[in-house]
Amino acid sequence: MSSRGGIEINKIAGAILLAGVIAMVSGLIAEALYTGTIAEEKPKEKRGYTIAVAEDAASAASAPKEEKPVDILPLLAKTDIKAGEAESRKCSACHTFTKGGGNGVGPNQWGLVGNTWAHKSDYSYSQAIASGHGKKKWDFQTLSDFLTAPMKYAPGTKMSFAGVKDPQARANLIAWLNQQSDHPLPLPKGK
Ligand code: HEC
């Protein structure tokens, strides 16, 4: 190999090394900015991403400001299962609903309604949900309260989902969820 060829190779190797160093340093800076080790003067807000599914404008405008939990039972007497199934698409990024379906980001949901909190033994829950195992049930009302604002209802949950704010949309969804089971519960009857 001529000495000229050697110099070329050295240059190329040097360039590759330099590119690697630049990539590493900028990666460190990006991470530091992201986790806040450099930008410390900002107040400690929650870092990371929340998948906030926007309600359509109409239902957002008509939905009441929910201070108190909405009594979901009367709304369950008159539900639109098809609309509930459509609503469940907001969940399917993280959940499967089929019998024997796998866990994703969140646990599989077959047989959820009426079941205990942390109903899947092969899923690793946060303490917020796991602590309810054997003590709390996903009955209609609990499910509704949770789904209104999961992170408010169960602080510390790793379900990063803003919630389904519209009560009737929630009722429709719960009615559909109830059917994804070997033993659907009877829905409340209208008067
Ligand atoms: C961004 C991902 C994500 C989305 C979207 C999402 N979930 Fe979850 N869900 C999770 C995770 C993660 C958990 C586990 C929570 C924990 O352990 O704290 C969970 C847990 C749950 C639980 C508790 C299950 C149990 O076994 O106790 C219910 C109920 C639930 N989700 C319902 C829903 C419904 C209904 C929707 C749609 C309206 C939805 N989730 C949308 C990620 C998600």
Side-chain angles (χ1 to χ4, degrees), residues 50-51 53 87-95 97 104-109 112 115-120 123-130 138 143 146-147 150 154 156-164 173-174 177:
T50 299
I51 300 183
V53 181
E87 194 72 22
S88 77
R89 287 188 207 120
K90 291 180 181 172
C91 327
S92 51
C94 303
H95 294 287
F97 296 95
V105 175
N108 169 261
Q109 301 281 44
L112 174 88
N115 213 330
T116 179
W117 281 33
H119 77 294
K120 292 273 314 217
Y123 180 83
S124 171
Y125 290 91
S126 70
Q127 195 50 33
I129 300 295
W138 290 120
L143 205 44
F146 174 68
L147 291 177
T157 180
K158 56 180 183 171
M159 174 157 147
S160 314
F161 177 73
V164 178
L173 174 62
I174 291 169
L177 267 175

Side-chain angles (χ1 to χ4, degrees), residues 15-176:
I16 291 171
L17 199 69
L18 185 65
V21 169
I22 290 171
M24 203 175 83
V25 169
S26 51
L28 283 175
I29 291 173
E31 195 186 323
L33 286 173
Y34 180 77
T35 56
T37 43
I38 287 179
E40 200 53 84
E41 68 281 3
K42 277 205 175 173
K44 282 210 165 52
E45 2 166 352
K46 202 174 170 234
R47 300 275 168 174
Y49 302 98
T50 299
I51 300 183
V53 181
E55 297 290 318
D56 56 277
S59 73
S62 63
K65 283 221 162 57
E66 279 161 279
E67 306 289 68
K68 279 188 247 144
V70 169
D71 183 3
I72 203 72
L73 300 183
L75 298 178
L76 279 171
K78 200 166 161 281
T79 53
D80 179 344
I81 299 278
K82 274 246 171 315
E85 180 172 12
E87 194 72 22
S88 77
R89 287 188 207 120
K90 291 180 181 172
C91 327
S92 51
C94 303
H95 294 287
T96 62
F97 296 95
T98 48
K99 187 172 186 169
N103 299 323
V105 175
N108 169 261
Q109 301 281 44
W110 181 263
L112 174 88
V113 178
N115 213 330
T116 179
W117 281 33
H119 77 294
K120 292 273 314 217
S121 58
D122 61 349
Y123 180 83
S124 171
Y125 290 91
S126 70
Q127 195 50 33
I129 300 295
S131 62
H133 186 79
K135 296 182 201 131
K136 295 183 190 170
K137 267 190 180 177
W138 290 120
D139 58 31
F140 297 133
Q141 189 63 50
T142 308
L143 205 44
S144 171
D145 297 347
F146 174 68
L147 291 177
T148 305
M151 292 170 285
K152 245 194 210 158
Y153 187 78
T157 180
K158 56 180 183 171
M159 174 157 147
S160 314
F161 177 73
V164 178
K165 302 297 178 208
D166 180 66
Q168 190 61 57
R170 236 164 31 240
N172 294 340
L173 174 62
I174 291 169
W176 178 81

